[in-house]
Amino acid sequence: MTDLAAVKAALKTQAVETPSWAYGNSGTRFKVFAQEGVPRSPQEKLDDAAKVHEFTGVAPTVALHIPWDKVEDYSALAKHAEDRGVKLGTINSNTFQDDAYKLGSVCHPDAAVRRKAVAHLLECVDVMDATGSADLKLWFADGTNYPGQDDIRARQDRLSEALVEVYGRLGDGQRMLLEYKFFEPAFYTTDVPDWGTAYAHCLKLGPKAQVVVDTGHHAPGTNIEFIVATLLREGKLGGFDFNSRFYADDDLMVGSADPFQLFRIMYEVVRGGGLDAEVAFMLDQCHNIEAKIPAIIRSVMNVQEATAKALLVDRSALAEAQASGDVLEANAVLMDAYNTDVRPLLRDVREEMGLDPEPLKAYRACGWAEKIVAERVGGEQAGWGA
């Protein structure tokens, strides 16, 4: 039997980090459709993120992206966040938007370009020091489009050299989270294309380097929960970028395309002790046609629902069925948990936390959406690529 009190306690302490860029005009497919009331500065992104935390209670930190969120005074930005009830979280680097990176950044054949990229990564660690952030998240768009374009092995050597230098700059309590991506924008070879490549580099670097799993960065049919289970077993799962995909890196709302997959992933997290370990749960989404703050609230709720279902799995009954080779019963145990309507449970959890049991309804009634549309007029809106 499942201990409901323990399930509630776990849900109350869950934390989902929201990304600053999701609050701005964003979208990576052909066009960004601008919306009224979106933030014009990093401070206004934090204001919106604070509303998500206010109504969900489990989104206490906000990931920054440098240089999109670059400011003169990061201590003041951290204070701005704290004044609104949230904190600054993961620092994300950008080595994909400069013209110099056409042939790569840390893997570029030109040493001067590699030096430029590494300098940016070291700057990001400086930002971590200033904000108190624990995690540096690295994603590289590096790769090649054509056979023979560059030396595949040499590019891995260059990548390793850059990671070693940045790793050595990390302070106590800081981590490097290395992200991988199946393809895009490189079409022939990608320099960090899969979890194995990321794991190999992190293993050589040491305990401060771990792998981050973006749920949209896999080929169709990939068993992501196997990757999660393996990385947890090896102590190398650093975090998640949650989103949903149909075809490629679609950056749709997590749990919207395949909620059963999200449940399966979260079960492996629960089973592997990931809720109690230092695994960072972050959204990485672009809300291009839907209202941004409600979409992020809904995404946080989707993660909560998948987690609740994962916590409700009768692990004793599952272990018994697995040990006896009862294939159908083992599957039924998982399906019983997945088919449970956990919304009443989560409403109870929110009420016990002093929150409105219906976060989306509460947000829509609070007037924030109308307020930001009226007040955020003029100036340059801060969005993807800003």
Side-chain angles (χ1 to χ4, degrees):
M1 296 294 292
T2 304
D3 184 347
L4 279 182
V7 170
K8 286 184 174 182
L11 291 169
K12 290 174 185 176
T13 58
Q14 186 176 27
V16 180
E17 186 166 275
T18 67
S20 66
W21 55 93
Y23 297 98
N25 286 320
S26 58
T28 56
R29 293 292 178 268
F30 307 113
K31 177 175 172 57
V32 173
F33 296 100
Q35 297 183 21
E36 292 183 304
V38 298
R40 299 163 298 179
S41 67
Q43 290 80 3
E44 290 182 347
K45 294 177 185 178
L46 294 174
D47 295 344
D48 288 353
K51 286 296 173 183
V52 173
H53 183 50
E54 177 183 337
F55 291 107
T56 64
V58 294
T61 59
V62 186
L64 299 184
H65 198 293
I66 307 300
W68 300 345
D69 297 315
K70 194 170 184 176
V71 294
E72 290 295 324
D73 189 340
Y74 288 101
S75 296
L77 188 65
K79 179 66 164 54
H80 183 92
E82 290 174 7
D83 288 345
R84 281 146 184 81
V86 293
K87 293 184 178 180
L88 303 181
T90 304
I91 302 301
N92 292 257
S93 60
N94 183 321
T95 56
F96 55 88
Q97 282 193 298
D98 194 292
D99 285 344
Y101 301 142
K102 182 170 67 173
L103 300 179
S105 61
V106 295
C107 300
H108 198 288
D110 187 334
V113 176
R114 298 199 299 274
R115 188 70 251 154
K116 175 185 176 75
V118 170
H120 167 69
L121 302 182
L122 295 175
E123 176 194 9
C124 287
V125 182
D126 293 339
V127 174
M128 293 172 66
D129 292 341
T131 60
S133 301
D135 293 337
L136 170 68
K137 187 147 65 66
L138 304 178
W139 170 70
F140 300 108
D142 292 36
T144 64
N145 283 357
Y146 295 98
Q149 178 181 324
D150 201 358
D151 187 307
I152 294 174
R153 179 166 175 167
R155 292 180 72 89
Q156 288 297 308
D157 292 339
R158 299 167 198 155
L159 171 62
S160 177
E161 182 180 343
L163 293 176
V164 165
E165 181 173 353
V166 178
Y167 185 90
R169 170 65 181 80
L170 296 174
D172 294 337
Q174 293 180 338
R175 299 187 300 175
M176 171 192 293
L177 304 184
L178 182 58
E179 187 174 351
Y180 59 90
K181 193 170 185 178
F182 168 51
F183 80 108
E184 190 189 46
F187 299 114
Y188 174 61
T189 62
T190 298
D191 290 309
V192 191
D194 50 40
W195 73 274
T197 305
Y199 173 76
H201 282 285
C202 289
L203 193 62
K204 290 181 68 176
L205 287 166
K208 293 182 181 180
Q210 294 181 301
V211 180
V212 62
V213 175
D214 186 306
T215 51
H217 288 188
H218 301 86
T222 298
N223 190 317
I224 301 175
E225 57 266 35
F226 173 82
I227 299 170
V228 170
T230 301
L231 290 174
L232 273 170
R233 181 175 179 271
E234 298 297 323
K236 280 295 185 181
L237 179 64
F240 286 95
D241 275 1
F242 280 132
N243 54 64
S244 283
R245 64 177 294 279
F246 281 103
Y247 300 107
D249 182 21
D250 302 333
D251 280 343
L252 302 175
M253 289 169 48
V254 60
S256 60
D258 188 351
F260 185 46
Q261 181 191 66
L262 181 60
F263 159 76
R264 300 193 311 266
I265 291 170
M266 290 310 302
Y267 172 69
E268 291 303 331
V269 170
V270 170
R271 184 256 178 272
L275 287 184
D276 301 319
E278 293 184 356
V279 177
F281 300 96
M282 194 189 85
L283 304 180
D284 181 16
Q285 303 175 171
C286 289
H287 304 293
N288 199 8
I289 60 174
E290 65 271 30
K292 300 175 191 305
I293 298 175
I296 297 172
I297 292 174
R298 178 69 260 181
S299 298
V300 172
M301 294 171 66
N302 288 349
V303 175
Q304 287 181 296
E305 290 179 16
T307 305
K309 292 180 179 186
L311 289 164
L312 289 175
V313 172
D314 189 334
R315 293 172 63 181
S316 296
L318 181 60
E320 183 178 341
Q322 291 171 339
S324 65
D326 193 335
V327 176
L328 292 179
E329 180 60 23
N331 178 251
V333 172
L334 276 183
M335 295 309 299
D336 284 345
Y338 175 69
N339 289 322
T340 302
D341 184 356
V342 296
R343 291 174 297 177
L345 171 64
L346 285 165
R347 284 194 287 267
D348 289 344
V349 167
R350 294 183 189 112
E351 287 184 329
E352 291 174 13
M353 294 174 67
L355 302 169
D356 191 292
E358 298 288 349
L360 274 174
K361 290 181 180 178
Y363 170 74
R364 292 188 178 115
C366 80
W368 184 255
E370 295 78 12
K371 174 182 169 65
I372 59 179
V373 168
E375 293 183 355
R376 294 176 182 174
V377 178
E380 183 176 347
Q381 295 174 318
W384 193 92

